[in-house]
Amino acid sequence: MARVPSAAVAATGLVGGYGVARWTKKRQLGGAVLAVAGATAAQQWRQRAGGKAAGALTAAYVAAFAGSHPLAKKVGAWPAVFGVAGAVALASWAVADRNA
């Protein structure tokens, strides 16, 4: 089975979590998508880059989620979500996926 880059898992969690919450109107369901993808990405980060890197990337993932809310007030919801997802994906690729 092909390895899915952790950058794709993390970005999908942020975008998918928001999309599910918006389209189902169930924030808890979107939160579950966000959490499952985040946990999966964290496990990949730990395996590929070690515990410290996984901790830093997990913190970035949570900060991106939190930061997308005030950013959405300035640029709109979808641009904010795509922006933070791209930032997390880039960090994830640079730290964990580039040499994998």
Side-chain angles (χ1 to χ4, degrees), residues 4-13 41 44-45 48 85-86 88-94 96-97:
V4 176
S6 61
V9 173
T12 299
Q44 290 178 317
W45 293 329
R48 296 177 187 173
V88 169
L90 181 61
S92 179
W93 174 81
D97 295 333

Side-chain angles (χ1 to χ4, degrees), residues 1 7-8 13 15 17 27 29 32 40 43 45 53 55 60 67 72 83 87-88 90 97:
M1 180 184 236
V15 173
R27 294 178 70 180
L29 192 55
T40 301
Q43 182 180 26
W45 293 329
V88 169
L90 181 61
D97 295 333

Side-chain angles (χ1 to χ4, degrees), residues 60-93:
Y61 185 81
V62 172
F65 167 70
S68 68
H69 292 81
L71 183 59
K73 292 179 180 180
K74 296 183 185 306
V75 300
W78 280 112
V81 170
F82 284 126
V84 300
V88 169
L90 181 61
S92 179
W93 174 81

Side-chain angles (χ1 to χ4, degrees), residues 10-47:
T12 299
L14 290 161
V15 173
Y18 174 69
V20 167
R22 181 174 177 129
W23 291 316
T24 66
K25 301 199 185 326
K26 296 186 187 320
R27 294 178 70 180
Q28 300 87 347
L29 192 55
V33 171
L34 180 80
V36 168
T40 301
Q43 182 180 26
Q44 290 178 317
W45 293 329
R46 189 173 35 261
Q47 290 171 349

